[in-house]
């Protein structure tokens, strides 16, 4: 009797289905970008048709095209479109940051040449064209006084105006305020300077100056106030509108008066945004040249009195030094510009820290 033995082979267990799709390796995108820049550089410099900017632009276009092709082959059309649009957004961000980085680098590299004690502790009084010394102490003093006075005038007035428009304003009067604020937002700085020149310098100041028109830092502060006011009003108005209505309603339900609700609830909640708007207005005012030139006149000497005699500012100092024929003037202009940017940055950081400490949630 013959016995037949049948052998059964053991089959491996079936693999569970996976949702993972094929992906490009991480090194592919940087490699494509490097290759695109090299090809763009070869095209631009080989043909002699441009410089680094054109290399970056052509390289970005080549990078987007090559990345789409590679992703389409490996990952599919849908993923390729997603990856290409993501790369386009990142490329747009880089292209937007490059000019800012270039400005900062140029400002720092050229501004550090005269960034010394002599620049910050001396003025341009009795400084000749062949004198390498001289600084912007008088301009720094003028900028701080003018912008400080303008802020003292504008910030309370602008915040109160915005509170009225948001919390109390109804009808034609509130509409008129919004309309004129919008109109003032777009006026050129030279118009603000001419207005203060015609009103304050030529009409009002002679009553306090023995019949003679008086140029002063206070007149420049008034002109800067005209430029700052619409920015403060509009930014504060938008921040107040963003405060949730339940916060106001809860305070009213507890019997809190409206003025105290605004003071204790609404303003602290909107404070960070209000501070940002105020600092934008201060930054604009600190960089204005035309109003200061028209109504303050500028000057080389130090003047601590904003109500008498001519007074300079950092923006005006940059303008004057940039047009000076002295070989030492450009370095002073770059350092003054760097000082102005640093001053605005320091004030912004200080204001942000102060607003963070005083937020409602603390």
């Amino acid at each position: 009797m013959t016995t037949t033995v049948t052998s059964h082979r053991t089959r491996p267990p079936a693999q569970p289905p996976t949702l993972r799709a094929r992906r490009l390796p991480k090194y592919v995108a940087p490699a494509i970008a490097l290759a695109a820049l090299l090809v763009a550089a070869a095209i631009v410099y080989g043909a002699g048709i441009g410089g680094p900017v054109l290399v970056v632009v052509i390289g970005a276009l080549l990078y987007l095209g090559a990345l789409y092709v590679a992703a389409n082959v490996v990952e599919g059309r849908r993923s390729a479109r997603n990856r290409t649009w993501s790369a386009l957004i990142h490329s747009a961000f880089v292209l937007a940051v490059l000019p800012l980085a270039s400005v900062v680098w140029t400002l720092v590299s050229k501004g550090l040449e005269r960034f010394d004690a002599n620049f910050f502790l001396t003025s341009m009084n009795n400084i000749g064209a062949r004198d390498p010394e001289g600084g912007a102490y008088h301009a720094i003093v003028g900028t701080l006084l003018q912008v400080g006075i303008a802020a003292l005038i504008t910030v309370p007035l602008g915040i109160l105006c915005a509170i009225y428009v948001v919390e109390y304003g109804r009808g034609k009067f509130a509409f008129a305020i919004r309309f004129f604020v919008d109109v003032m937002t777009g006026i050129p700085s030279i118009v603000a300077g001419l207005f203060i020149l015609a009103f304050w310098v030529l009409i009002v100041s002679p009553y306090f100056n023995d019949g003679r028109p008086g140029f002063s830092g206070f007149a420049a502060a008034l002109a800067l106030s005209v430029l700052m006011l619409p920015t403060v009003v509009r930014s504060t108005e938008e921040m107040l509108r963003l405060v949730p209505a339940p916060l106001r309603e809860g305070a009213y339900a507890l019997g809190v008066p409206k003025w105290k609700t605004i003071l204790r609830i609404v303003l602290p909640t909107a404070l960070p945004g209000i501070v940002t708007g105020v600092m934008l207005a201060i930054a604009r005012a600190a960089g204005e040249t035309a109003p200061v030139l028209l109504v303050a006149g500028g000057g080389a000497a130090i003047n601590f009195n904003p109500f008498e005699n001519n007074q300079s500012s950092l923006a005006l100092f940059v303008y004057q030094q940039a047009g000076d024929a002295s070989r030492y003037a450009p370095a002073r202009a770059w350092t003054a510009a760097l000082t102005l940017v640093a001053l605005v940055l320091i004030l912004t950081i200080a204001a942000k820290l102060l607003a963070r400490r005083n937020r409602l949630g603390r």
Side-chain angles (χ1 to χ4, degrees):
M1 183 175 181
T2 305
T3 303
T4 305
V5 179
T6 305
S7 62
H8 298 279
R9 295 181 180 180
T10 304
R11 294 182 179 180
Q15 296 293 331
T18 178
L19 296 178
R20 293 183 179 179
R22 298 176 62 188
R23 303 284 295 176
L24 283 175
K26 293 183 178 181
Y27 63 85
V28 172
I32 292 176
L34 180 60
L37 287 176
L38 293 176
V39 172
I43 294 174
V44 172
Y45 291 115
I49 57 176
V53 176
L54 187 59
V55 169
V56 173
V57 173
I58 295 179
L61 296 176
L62 293 176
Y63 167 71
L64 293 175
L67 182 64
Y68 178 80
V69 172
N72 190 27
V73 171
V74 176
E75 301 175 345
R77 181 176 299 178
R78 183 175 181 179
S79 180
R81 286 199 300 264
N82 177 67
R83 187 180 286 272
T84 303
W85 279 107
S86 298
L88 181 62
I89 293 172
H90 288 93
S91 301
F93 170 75
V94 172
L95 291 177
V97 169
L98 280 178
L100 177 61
S102 176
V103 169
V104 173
W105 171 254
T106 304
L107 191 62
V108 173
S109 61
K110 294 188 177 182
L112 290 177
E113 181 177 349
R114 282 297 317 277
F115 205 83
D116 50 30
N118 179 266
F119 182 83
F120 293 102
L121 298 177
T122 60
S123 68
M124 291 298 295
N125 200 22
N126 298 323
I127 299 296
R130 298 184 179 181
D131 194 341
E133 303 297 328
Y137 180 61
H138 62 298
I140 297 174
V141 170
T143 297
L144 293 176
L145 289 174
Q146 294 163 19
V147 175
I149 295 173
L152 288 176
I153 296 172
T154 305
V155 173
L157 184 61
I159 293 177
L160 290 175
C161 181
I163 290 175
Y164 171 79
V165 170
V166 175
E167 303 292 340
Y168 298 97
R170 300 292 184 274
K172 295 182 179 180
F173 185 63
F175 175 79
I177 292 177
R178 295 192 190 95
F179 174 75
F180 283 111
V181 167
D182 291 338
V183 171
M184 290 177 62
T185 303
I187 65 171
S189 59
I190 190 69
V191 175
L194 288 173
F195 169 71
I196 298 301
L197 176 67
F199 172 70
W200 180 265
V201 175
L202 300 180
I203 297 177
V204 178
S205 67
Y207 290 101
F208 306 97
N209 199 30
D210 298 329
R212 293 179 289 105
F215 295 87
S216 63
F218 181 73
L222 292 178
L224 297 180
S225 299
V226 175
L227 298 174
M228 292 174 60
L229 184 61
T231 303
V232 175
V233 173
R234 290 298 296 170
S235 60
T236 304
E237 180 185 351
E238 295 301 324
M239 291 302 105
L240 293 179
R241 292 186 187 279
L242 291 178
V243 176
L247 290 179
R248 296 181 175 89
E249 296 169 357
Y252 298 153
L254 294 174
V256 180
K258 188 170 186 176
W259 67 268
K260 189 174 289 187
T261 301
I262 296 171
L263 186 63
R264 298 293 182 86
I265 304 296
V266 177
L267 286 179
T269 305
L271 185 61
I274 294 175
V275 170
T276 300
V278 170
M279 294 314 301
L280 287 174
I282 289 177
R284 181 191 178 186
E288 291 294 344
T289 303
V292 181
L293 181 62
L294 278 175
V295 300
I302 302 171
N303 180 15
F304 290 100
N305 188 353
F307 300 99
E308 293 182 1
N309 300 325
N310 291 11
Q311 196 175 62
S312 186
S313 69
L314 280 171
L316 181 57
F317 181 82
V318 172
Y319 170 75
Q320 291 172 339
Q321 293 298 310
D324 199 315
S326 173
R327 57 180 292 191
Y328 304 107
R332 298 192 195 107
W334 282 110
T335 305
L338 178 61
T339 304
L340 180 59
V341 173
L343 183 62
V344 173
L345 180 62
I346 292 171
L347 292 176
T348 302
I349 293 175
K352 285 289 187 179
L353 293 177
L354 183 63
R356 182 177 299 178
R357 289 186 58 186
N358 291 304
R359 281 191 304 182
L360 183 63
R362 293 299 178 100

